[in-house]
């Protein structure tokens, strides 16, 4: 097991380096460059040249990238001239809010998807299965921004029950205190993963209900509910564990749209605003954090899958 963890950690480190390298390459080859984004359109060529010398942008690309990695490993993510703040301070302020939004959306999606998947599997080929499948596919195919606007129109204007804007508190506690404003963003983001979770639970439940141990449990006289919940559902949740780790990028990309749509003060909104102003330090830092979260989430999901299911044998790990 430890050999597997070390090997996967090494692979994750290489992936993160590649992501930072490609992002650094793309951003620093955009027209105008970092100097123009920091100094503005009115900056003279002399000012741009002086800025490039000061920041080391006049050095060869690999030297610039090595300098960036050195600052990154020391915890220095750069300085945002647009926000007039260190990027670390901005991330410390924004990241917990996005984590809260993504966590609540994942919990809501799972709480809805698991029962729906069970209903589909136990009623396979019947109208509940067809109904849930149709609704899930419709939700999956609906663009996220359109769905969010539809919910705003329905529940904020037509039926004025919820505020159209997300909470604007400075801290996580302020955000949670204004919980009615969280409902529409959380529900909108939850629908991103709801359909996928439902389909996964359904397919794995159907496979498990055909296994020999299910037939044995039924032959012993167990009730159908106990067979489904205690045996089939328990083993069907293992793929969902892996899916949770792999859906971190989807949650962030969904959060970017949702935060911009509902004006939620998280990482997604900050990234969106940084793209408009070409705030290179924020773009680099955000991409790096998402890459780290993705590979770490994938690694933790694989480890959790192996711990949850003793039948899993990891090559290079303990038997």
């Amino acid at each position: 097991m430890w050999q597997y963890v070390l090997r996967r950690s090494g692979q994750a480190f290489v992936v993160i380096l590649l992501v930072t390298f490609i992002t650094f390459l793309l951003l620093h080859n955009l027209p105008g460059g970092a100097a123009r984004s920091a100094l503005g359109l009115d900056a003279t060529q002399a000012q741009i040249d002086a800025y490039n010398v000061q920041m080391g942008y006049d050095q060869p690309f690999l030297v610039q990238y090595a300098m960036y990695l050195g600052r990154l490993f020391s915890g220095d993510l750069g300085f945002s001239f647009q926000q007039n703040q260190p990027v670390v301070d901005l991330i410390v302020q924004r990241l917990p809010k996005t984590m809260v939004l993504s966590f609540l959306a994942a919990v809501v999606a799972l709480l809805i998807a698991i029962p729906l998947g069970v209903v589909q599997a136990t009623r396979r080929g019947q109208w509940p299965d067809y109904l849930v499948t149709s609704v899930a596919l419709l939700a999956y195919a609906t663009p996220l921004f359109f769905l969010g606007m539809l919910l705003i129109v329905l529940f904020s204007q037509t039926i004025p029950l919820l505020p159209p804007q997300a909470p604007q508190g400075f801290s996580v506690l302020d955000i949670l205190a204004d919980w009615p404003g969280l409902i529409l963003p959380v529900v909108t983001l939850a629908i991103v993963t709801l359909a996928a979770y439902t389909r996964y639970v359904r397919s794995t439940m159907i496979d498990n209900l055909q296994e020999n141990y299910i037939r044995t449990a039924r032959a012993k006289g167990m009730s159908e509910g106990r067979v489904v919940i205690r045996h089939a559902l328990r083993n069907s949740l293992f793929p969902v564990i892996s899916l949770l780790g792999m859906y971190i990028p989807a949650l962030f990309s969904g959060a970017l749209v949702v935060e911009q749509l509902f004006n939620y003060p998280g990482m997604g909104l900050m990234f969106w605003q940084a793209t408009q102003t070409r705030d290179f330090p924020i773009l680099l830092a955000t991409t790096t954090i998402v890459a780290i979260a993705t590979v770490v989430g994938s690694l933790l999901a694989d480890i959790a899958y192996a711990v949850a299911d003793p039948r899993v044998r990891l090559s290079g790990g303990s038997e």
Side-chain angles (χ1 to χ4, degrees):
M1 175 68 76
W2 286 111
Q3 294 178 3
Y4 171 79
V5 172
L6 291 175
R7 186 173 66 253
R8 284 297 313 278
S9 299
Q11 295 171 352
F13 181 76
V14 172
V15 170
I16 293 173
L17 283 181
L18 289 174
V19 169
T20 58
F21 180 82
I22 295 172
T23 306
F24 192 85
L25 175 64
L26 292 176
L27 291 179
H28 280 69
N29 281 278
L30 289 176
R36 180 64 68 182
S37 68
L39 300 178
L41 297 177
D42 296 331
T44 64
Q45 187 61 45
Q47 292 172 327
I48 292 176
D49 294 339
Y51 178 87
N52 287 332
V53 172
Q54 179 184 357
M55 302 301 296
Y57 294 151
D58 60 329
Q59 301 293 325
F61 174 77
L62 291 179
V63 175
Q64 293 184 45
Y65 179 67
M67 294 169 58
Y68 168 72
L69 286 183
R71 294 193 299 267
L72 181 63
F73 290 137
S74 64
D76 181 9
L77 298 178
F79 188 88
S80 171
F81 287 91
Q82 302 292 337
Q83 301 286 341
N84 197 29
Q85 281 184 269
V87 177
V88 171
D89 294 345
L90 292 170
I91 291 176
V92 169
Q93 178 186 347
R94 300 287 190 113
L95 182 58
K97 299 175 186 178
T98 295
M99 293 176 64
V100 168
L101 178 64
S102 300
F103 175 78
L104 292 176
V107 170
V108 170
L110 287 174
L111 290 178
I112 298 175
I114 292 175
L116 289 181
V118 172
V119 169
Q120 286 185 276
T122 55
R123 301 291 187 271
R124 181 184 181 187
Q126 302 178 21
W127 71 265
D129 183 21
Y130 295 133
L131 177 63
V132 175
T133 298
S134 301
V135 173
L137 291 177
L138 178 63
Y140 189 78
T142 303
L144 187 59
F145 70 90
F146 176 77
L147 177 64
M149 290 190 295
L150 188 64
L151 292 178
I152 291 175
V153 171
L154 182 60
F155 293 106
S156 296
Q157 298 181 6
T158 305
I159 308 175
L161 296 176
L162 299 170
Q165 181 172 270
Q168 299 299 305
F170 181 80
S171 66
V172 172
L173 293 179
D174 295 334
I175 295 293
L176 294 176
D178 189 12
W179 60 267
L182 274 175
I183 295 178
L184 288 183
V186 168
V187 170
T188 304
L189 186 56
I191 295 178
V192 176
T193 54
L194 175 61
Y197 290 152
T198 303
R199 299 300 295 172
Y200 266 82
V201 174
R202 176 188 182 275
S203 61
T204 53
M205 275 284 294
I206 290 175
D207 292 338
N208 280 286
L209 286 173
Q210 297 174 353
E211 294 289 339
N212 291 330
Y213 70 90
I214 296 295
R215 299 189 185 97
T216 302
R218 286 169 173 164
K220 290 181 178 179
M222 287 187 181
S223 64
E224 186 65 18
R226 188 176 181 184
V227 170
V228 170
I229 301 299
R230 183 173 180 178
H231 295 283
L233 178 60
R234 180 180 177 182
N235 291 325
S236 299
L237 293 180
F238 296 141
V240 179
I241 296 176
S242 296
L243 194 64
L244 283 172
M246 298 305 296
Y247 254 74
I248 290 178
L251 284 173
F252 179 79
S253 61
L256 191 153
V257 177
V258 170
E259 289 182 11
Q260 192 274 334
L261 182 62
F262 291 94
N263 196 31
Y264 183 84
M267 288 279 290
L269 182 60
M270 183 177 70
F271 185 85
W272 172 265
Q273 293 170 342
T275 60
Q276 306 302 306
T277 59
R278 290 189 177 183
D279 199 332
F280 292 100
I282 288 181
L283 295 176
L284 277 171
T286 305
T287 305
T288 302
I289 289 175
V290 174
I292 293 174
T294 301
V295 296
V296 170
S298 177
L299 176 61
L300 293 178
D302 289 343
I303 295 174
Y305 189 92
V307 172
D309 190 352
R311 296 171 298 177
V312 175
R313 293 294 180 265
L314 302 174
S315 60
S318 58
E319 296 293 317

